[in-house]
Amino acid sequence: MSITLADIAEKAGVSVAAVSKALSDQSDIAPATRRRIKQLAGEMGYVMNVAARTLTMKKTMAIGVVLPLAHIPAVTDRLRGIQAEAMERRYLTSVAFHNGGIDEERKQIEMLYGRVDGFVITPANQSLELAKLLKRLDLPVVCMSEPLVKMETDFSGDDDEEGGRLAAAHLLERGRERIAYLGYAEGTPSDQAILKGMREVFAGKGLSLDKSWIRWGNASQAETRANMDALLAMTPRPDAIMAFSDVTALWVLEHLERRKVAVPGEVAVAGYDDTIFAELGRMPLTSVAQPNFEIGRQAARLLLERLEDESGAAAAPCRRVVFKPRLAVRMSSG
Amino acid sequence: MSITLADIAEKAGVSVAAVSKALSDQSDIAPATRRRIKQLAGEMGYVMNVAARTLTMKKTMAIGVVLPLAHIPAVTDRLRGIQAEAMERRYLTSVAFHNGGIDEERKQIEMLYGRVDGFVITPANQSLELAKLLKRLDLPVVCMSEPLVKMETDFSGDDDEEGGRLAAAHLLERGRERIAYLGYAEGTPSDQAILKGMREVFAGKGLSLDKSWIRWGNASQAETRANMDALLAMTPRPDAIMAFSDVTALWVLEHLERRKVAVPGEVAVAGYDDTIFAELGRMPLTSVAQPNFEIGRQAARLLLERLEDESGAAAAPCRRVVFKPRLAVRMSSG
DNA sequence: TTGAAAGCGCTAACAG
DNA sequence: CTGTTAGCGCTTTCAA
């Protein structure tokens, strides 16, 4: 069995209350007693019982992180940021990945409930169900990288419109006017934001994005292959591909090589995230870079500040922290 | 405030004990009462208080996973396997990543203590300190992919010696006899196992591995670059590079391109893990493939079986589940 | 300063 | 079958 406060109290010849006070550095205890108790606790190898503390304090000192797309390096970078911040404030980060489906997403959130004081999520589903669930649980939520349209929450992410603008401006400048977009899902706010940014730049030049060049569902290589073949079969063909993630862009590079389409000669390619793999694909990939670690760190900070704000935690208005992306230009776009 | 058993008891006009029994499907309760209580609990939106249950049951119903190298896709694949198995048995998976240093590794384990019933770890440090810590915590531990030499535990991973044999045999067959090895750290058992397998195959042909072609510390691109330049400066040069991970192998391909060394013409390259990026690098990469999802799943299974084994949990001997790797041959080795 | 006592929400004997 | 009681280990009044 583990050491408890009672064990220490007995050995020290004081009450349990005294030990509790001493170990949690309360003021109403004699410095000498505190020192003695702390010393003893250390010797006895005391470790606080988390469940008991949680039960009395109604605070778990942990934050829950629920994320899709575990295989995307940008996601793990953001996670490291969250963990770094949480650890600094002595909070545990409890992570759960899911496959992007609403059922798994919901299930993970439910499993975490009662073990965490709040959530950082990158919602993969814009369903009402998810928003309802989170409202019912009534814990602080921070959205990271992707807002939840059905619910107002704190937000940390990058400015995807600006990302779209940067990419579009760059490609236009390189003489590409027929840009296709490979996105994740039509209902995804960040996809829409990127498109909005791109459209803005196009409009500025009196151009527009062709609807039929927007293709969804690029979370698997097979889908991306199919999308690319469809695009290549069109006349005129797109002369540039913008992908919502680096992984998708790498699939595009691989597929174009297979189809013997010259990059960037015939088709320029750009991705999003600028992860370590952007430099390692068939050729160096142009990519929109986000400060992923910082995005995660900030997400955790927003959550923790809300948790530690004793006063009107619930009342405080939602905050949005938006980071500016930049463009890493490499060979794939000439 | 949340709904408690007492709230339900009051509304149903029964005792708290009755509600507890009904909701946990105990037998000593009238079926009708149970149904009524369950119905009511559902309507009232009851959710069990995890801390209270943990305190009474001395069981958290969660497993802790502590891993280094979050950016390696093989790691996240294994993690998905763990989660899948845990979720099936209604256990929460609480993940913590660390940077590979002993301090962070220890800290993460300590933070998880009290919130989990056991650990799945891939030890990044073979220090005595880590073994001592785990022994002191006295919770079941399963090592995944990497054993802990200072401590006997359950193990799930692949047969790295066989991986080394497969790679060496393949490269020899392609006429390469000067194979360099880029490993993670000299004290890492899986590195040593791979080398052992390679040496075996070499010895079979009356050949041996040159010590000076074994280079450690390839967790960053800079280190790998330095190692490669050192190798390329040697006479004779190695004619093949075996890397402990795909990411390292991708750095090698990129570096060789930069140095205008033909692959596989002058130097063949092979990696380890066969992740999705193996096909997407400068050229398709030959790689030793492990069933990562299964390795994770099995690791969780070992842990959960130990946790659920009411009888001599502590007594049961340690088990090792070893998966056979296979070789995915691609262009980088001709 | 210190300690006694109440209680967080739940389960597990043990009576009725 | 159902209810009463006694904790699990901790924090927090409130007295002493």
Side-chain angles (χ1 to χ4, degrees):
Chain A
M1 216 56 273
S2 246
I3 308 292
T4 69
L5 290 192
D7 298 331
I8 302 176
E10 191 185 9
K11 205 149 198 163
V14 294
S15 73
V16 175
V19 179
S20 171
K21 285 171 187 165
L23 293 183
S24 51
D25 280 322
Q26 306 233 21
S27 54
D28 57 345
I29 183 97
T33 332
R34 166 183 310 142
R35 232 186 339 271
R36 190 163 54 89
I37 292 177
K38 279 195 163 178
Q39 160 90 25
L40 197 55
E43 284 168 9
M44 297 174 72
Y46 171 73
V47 185
M48 155 106 67
N49 180 315
V50 181
R53 193 201 22 167
T54 302
L55 185 58
T56 28
M57 305 286 278
K58 297 179 181 323
K59 228 172 152 318
T60 63
M61 297 299 286
I63 64 178
V65 180
V66 181
L67 303 172
L69 302 172
H71 66 282
I72 290 189
V75 172
T76 43
D77 288 347
R78 294 196 277 258
L79 185 51
R80 296 294 316 263
I82 295 174
Q83 264 199 191
E85 181 69 20
M87 181 158 272
E88 230 168 69
R89 309 214 193 184
R90 325 221 58 218
Y91 269 72
L92 172 73
T93 306
S94 196
V95 191
F97 290 108
H98 60 85
N99 60 13
I102 177 70
D103 285 340
E104 260 202 53
E105 186 166 32
R106 191 172 34 69
K107 210 164 170 182
Q108 297 288 27
I109 291 173
E110 282 171 347
M111 287 215 74
L112 247 13
Y113 183 73
R115 306 180 188 257
V116 298
D117 297 326
F119 290 102
V120 173
I121 66 173
T122 298
N125 295 279
Q126 291 294 341
S127 69
L128 194 60
E129 190 184 343
L130 187 59
K132 270 188 185 160
L133 170 64
L134 289 168
K135 267 178 202 143
R136 183 158 59 74
L137 299 185
D138 194 34
L139 291 179
V141 175
V142 175
C143 284
M144 180 173 69
S145 297
E146 199 73 64
L148 196 48
V149 292
K150 318 268 191 203
M151 183 182 174
E152 215 198 340
T153 70
D154 287 336
F155 175 86
S156 168
D158 85 331
D159 182 344
D160 289 324
E161 281 185 35
E162 177 67 12
R165 265 179 241 123
L166 288 173
H170 166 70
L171 292 169
L172 278 179
E173 190 214 326
R174 290 289 198 271
R176 313 294 167 139
E177 302 193 342
R178 301 191 305 278
I179 306 182
Y181 182 74
L182 299 188
Y184 177 59
E186 186 156 11
T188 308
S190 66
D191 272 319
Q192 288 304 333
I194 294 170
L195 280 171
K196 185 168 174 218
M198 290 172 66
R199 283 203 188 93
E200 249 177 67
V201 171
F202 266 60
K205 301 272 183 188
L207 299 165
S208 64
L209 274 187
D210 191 324
K211 267 259 161 76
S212 57
W213 288 343
I214 301 174
R215 318 282 306 190
W216 302 110
N218 295 283
S220 77
Q221 190 165 18
E223 289 170 296
T224 297
R225 278 194 200 296
N227 279 330
M228 283 306 299
D229 278 335
L231 287 170
L232 291 175
M234 291 178 168
T235 20
R237 266 188 191 176
D239 57 11
I241 308 285
M242 172 71 198
F244 86 104
S245 85
D246 280 358
V247 176
T248 300
L250 294 179
W251 288 332
V252 169
L253 289 178
E254 191 265 358
H255 192 71
L256 290 174
E257 179 182 85
R258 212 178 257 250
R259 292 283 182 259
K260 310 219 184 307
V261 176
V263 179
E266 295 176 68
V267 175
V269 178
Y272 211 103
D273 285 343
D274 194 37
T275 54
I276 59 170
F277 296 100
E279 305 208 18
L280 301 176
R282 282 294 186 272
M283 72 179 63
L285 174 72
T286 292
S287 185
V288 177
Q290 324 176 38
N292 285 308
F293 187 90
E294 266 314 310
I295 288 173
R297 182 165 202 119
Q298 188 56 242
R301 198 168 289 159
L302 287 171
L303 182 58
L304 292 167
E305 278 173 10
R306 205 171 272 278
L307 291 177
E308 310 216 309
D309 175 26
E310 297 302 319
S311 51
C318 288
R319 287 170 299 174
R320 287 178 58 80
V321 178
V322 175
F323 295 85
K324 282 288 166 217
R326 53 176 197 76
L327 189 69
V329 177
R330 300 200 184 84
M331 196 189 296
S332 69
S333 62
Chain B
M1 215 55 274
S2 244
I3 307 291
T4 69
L5 290 193
D7 298 330
I8 302 177
E10 191 185 10
K11 205 149 196 165
V14 295
S15 73
V16 174
V19 179
S20 171
K21 286 171 187 166
L23 293 183
S24 51
D25 280 321
Q26 307 234 22
S27 53
D28 57 346
I29 185 98
T33 331
R34 166 185 309 142
R35 233 186 336 271
R36 191 162 54 89
I37 291 176
K38 279 195 163 178
Q39 161 90 25
L40 197 56
E43 285 168 9
M44 296 173 71
Y46 171 73
V47 186
M48 155 108 66
N49 180 316
V50 181
R53 198 211 16 193
T54 301
L55 185 58
T56 30
M57 306 285 279
K58 299 184 180 320
K59 227 172 154 316
T60 63
M61 296 299 288
I63 63 177
V65 180
V66 181
L67 303 172
L69 302 173
H71 66 284
I72 290 190
V75 172
T76 44
D77 287 347
R78 295 197 275 259
L79 185 52
R80 296 294 318 261
I82 295 175
Q83 265 201 189
E85 182 69 20
M87 181 158 272
E88 230 168 67
R89 310 215 194 184
R90 327 221 56 220
Y91 270 73
L92 172 73
T93 305
S94 198
V95 190
F97 290 107
H98 60 85
N99 61 12
I102 177 69
D103 285 341
E104 260 202 53
E105 187 167 30
R106 192 172 34 69
K107 208 163 171 184
Q108 297 289 24
I109 291 173
E110 282 172 345
M111 286 216 73
L112 247 12
Y113 182 73
R115 307 180 187 258
V116 298
D117 297 327
F119 290 103
V120 173
I121 66 172
T122 298
N125 296 279
Q126 291 295 341
S127 69
L128 194 60
E129 189 185 341
L130 188 59
K132 269 189 185 159
L133 170 65
L134 290 168
K135 268 178 200 141
R136 183 158 59 75
L137 299 185
D138 194 33
L139 291 179
V141 175
V142 176
C143 283
M144 180 173 70
S145 297
E146 199 73 62
L148 196 48
V149 293
K150 317 269 191 201
M151 181 182 176
E152 214 199 340
T153 70
D154 288 335
F155 175 84
S156 167
D158 86 330
D159 182 345
D160 289 323
E161 281 185 35
E162 176 66 11
R165 269 180 238 122
L166 287 173
H170 166 71
L171 292 169
L172 277 180
E173 191 215 327
R174 289 290 199 271
R176 313 296 168 138
E177 302 194 342
R178 301 191 305 277
I179 306 183
Y181 181 74
L182 298 188
Y184 177 57
E186 187 156 11
T188 308
S190 66
D191 272 317
Q192 288 305 332
I194 293 171
L195 280 171
K196 184 168 174 218
M198 289 172 65
R199 284 202 188 93
E200 250 177 66
V201 171
F202 267 60
K205 301 274 183 186
L207 299 166
S208 64
L209 274 188
D210 190 324
K211 266 260 161 76
S212 59
W213 289 343
I214 300 175
R215 317 284 305 192
W216 302 111
N218 295 283
S220 76
Q221 190 165 16
E223 289 170 296
T224 298
R225 278 193 201 295
N227 279 330
M228 283 306 299
D229 279 335
L231 288 170
L232 291 175
M234 292 178 168
T235 20
R237 264 189 192 176
D239 57 10
I241 307 285
M242 172 71 198
F244 87 103
S245 85
D246 280 357
V247 175
T248 300
L250 294 179
W251 287 332
V252 170
L253 289 178
E254 191 265 355
H255 192 70
L256 289 175
E257 180 182 84
R258 215 179 256 250
R259 293 283 182 259
K260 309 222 184 304
V261 177
V263 180
E266 297 175 68
V267 176
V269 179
Y272 212 103
D273 285 345
D274 194 36
T275 54
I276 58 170
F277 296 100
E279 305 207 19
L280 301 176
R282 283 292 188 272
M283 73 179 63
L285 174 73
T286 292
S287 184
V288 177
Q290 325 175 37
N292 285 310
F293 187 90
E294 268 314 311
I295 288 173
R297 181 165 201 120
Q298 187 57 241
R301 199 169 287 159
L302 287 170
L303 182 59
L304 292 168
E305 278 171 10
R306 206 170 272 278
L307 292 177
E308 309 216 308
D309 174 27
E310 297 303 318
S311 52
C318 287
R319 289 171 297 174
R320 286 178 57 82
V321 179
V322 176
F323 294 85
K324 282 287 165 216
R326 52 177 197 74
L327 189 70
V329 177
R330 300 201 182 85
M331 195 188 295
S332 68
S333 63

